Amino acid sequence: MTMTATTVQNPLLIGAGLPPFDSIKPSHIVPGITELIADLTTALEQLESTVTPTWDGLVDPLTRIEERLGWSWSIVGHLMGVKNSPELRAAFEEVQPALVQFATRLGQSKPLYEAFKQLRSSNQWTSFDPAQQRIVDSSIREAELSGVGLEGAEKERFNEIQQALAELTTKFANNVLDATKAFSLTLTTAAETDGLPPSLLALAAQLARDAGDENATPEAGPWRITLDYPSFGPFMQHSRRRDLREQLYRAFVTRASEGDLDNSPNIEKILELRHEMANLLGYATYADLSLARKMAASVEAIDKLMDELRVASYDTAVKELDELNTFAQAKGAAEADSLTHWDTAFWAERIREEKYGLNDEELRPYFPLPQVLDGLFALAHRIFDITIAPADGKAPVWHPDVRYFQVLSNSGDPIAHFYLDPYSRPAEKRGGAWMDDCINRGKINGQVRLPVAYLVCNQAPPVDGKPSLMTFRDVETLFHEFGHGLQHMLTQVDFTGAAGINNVEWDAVELPSQFMENWCYHRDTLLTLARHVDTGAPLPEDLYQKIVAARTFMTGSAILRQVRFGWTDIELHHRYRPGSGETVTAVSQRIAEQSSILKPLPEDAFLCAFTHIFAGGYAAGYYSYFWAEVLSADAFAAFEEAGLDNEGAIAATGRRFRDTVLALGGSRHPMEVFKAFRGREPSTQALLRHRGLVAA
């Protein structure tokens, strides 16, 4: 782009440093990304024609192309998440196809693939750092999994499958969305709302107004209940109308299984195409292909973990159902002898209220955000020997509520920075919470470039001059995302491709985040950050004990449910064959026989709405939730063994965790990293103990 006195450079094309959020507009996206892709296509063609199989002649220039693309495109992606608008969305949709096309072109580049293979077999290989070797190995693997080795008709078929799968998975997700939207239950009398809390009545009246009943109020109705989780979940927990709970439950488990929105044929086709794609790439099954990118070595290892968790949780889940029955009987419930799917959430909630007396609203005043941050930062100082200090005003932000912090070493030098965007803004910010990388650590011209993270949460904003008051779940979420941030920020790897969370196997990346959640149940940590917003009084001991006790409530049933989902996923992607005689539904029912206390209804079609595996990134990977929890619970057990009240031992263990799990990032295989920290392979014992399934 030629600069003249009258033109100002498009801020999306700066390409380095902190994003200038104060000057980026949606109107910059189409011209900026279009120009960027044109420039990078030229750079890629030039690299392909001049590439030499050396680090300087291949990896460095390729990293520069990927980083230029990543810098600009990740800003656009970030803004889509935190500052969405019709203009931004339209610009994003306009440039996305060209971007996907460029990414495919990059992934299937033959000259670069050949150069990587030559680099691996060259004399330089043995002199490479382990991080460099991992980057080269994963670059070769990713090219192969992108179909770089295929020729002629096979390559054509592979690209057709990719296209078809993209369309089918989108159709699957849209069907679930449309089927969820298509059903609603309108309540018109107070009797029908018996038991519903004020927050749900307010939401239900709002949904009724959105649907055209402009006079609906929380007090007088009408009230609209939908299959969307914020509506469905609380209704199943609180409604005293068993007939309405049944109606809602049956609608929920048959979503997207009938008529125009039936996902059954899409499931068959998706499984068929995934299997064919795996075969084209030389893998026996799609599960084998999926595991090529993961820490779990084999389907057998996953089966072993699933069976261990099933055996450990089954008897507990049976006892939990008995406890619900007994409790319902004591309350004189007519259905006490035959509790079923639409009763469990309701009675579990009644026990939780009576047994633990826990109420989110009662806890909130003890968790004002500024104080929770102070407690979190004090913990990071104690266990990782870092200091976190405000750096507001040192970086442009996308919203006035966003904070900016610096992370300092024990000698007071900055080693990383992060943004914190804590509050919900439903009009422009997507739900949930996440950590993303803004800038990766790397070495540029001999200088270390410091990492910068985005930490995004969605808690209640400050109201009436009081700070944001957090639920206990909000506190856990903040600790979780901060754990991801620590792995990004405390990395010691200078090769960008393996720094922080880059190149960490997908089923190991939740280790630091789930690890940090454990500290929310540690007495001293929690009592440091939990003080009443008005009086400064510490969290009462009885409330702390209730929080700890409630952690393991209904845990057998919860684990068994996840085992059922994880095992069904592996079965469909590994052993099932379309057209083999056994239907997908039969597979699902067969797995449920071994892993459910309450057998599914005959019409249960939960697979038709299982977007995690049919439209998300969890195909043959749903087990990852447990895999990472085994690692994180066992890592926390190292601190428990050292003695959580022994400051010296905690600091030493924290240092070891920092020097291994947090520092090594993707430069070593996660099993090697874990063994470097723990001195052995992971064990499931800590997970079972934390979940209350074996005695402490």
Side-chain angles (χ1 to χ4, degrees), residues 284-301:
T285 72
Y286 186 80
D288 293 330
L289 166 61
S290 168
L291 294 187
R293 290 187 168 103
K294 296 186 172 75
M295 180 182 173
S298 64
V299 169
E300 290 67 40

Side-chain angles (χ1 to χ4, degrees), residues 315-332:
D315 290 348
T316 305
V318 170
K319 284 197 196 91
E320 288 166 354
L321 189 60
D322 287 346
E323 188 185 351
L324 293 185
N325 270 313
T326 308
F327 185 83
Q329 267 167 354
K331 296 292 175 198

Side-chain angles (χ1 to χ4, degrees), residues 311-321 552 554-557 692-693:
V311 170
S313 58
Y314 197 90
D315 290 348
T316 305
V318 170
K319 284 197 196 91
E320 288 166 354
L321 189 60
T552 57
M554 294 295 287
T555 193
S557 308
L693 295 175

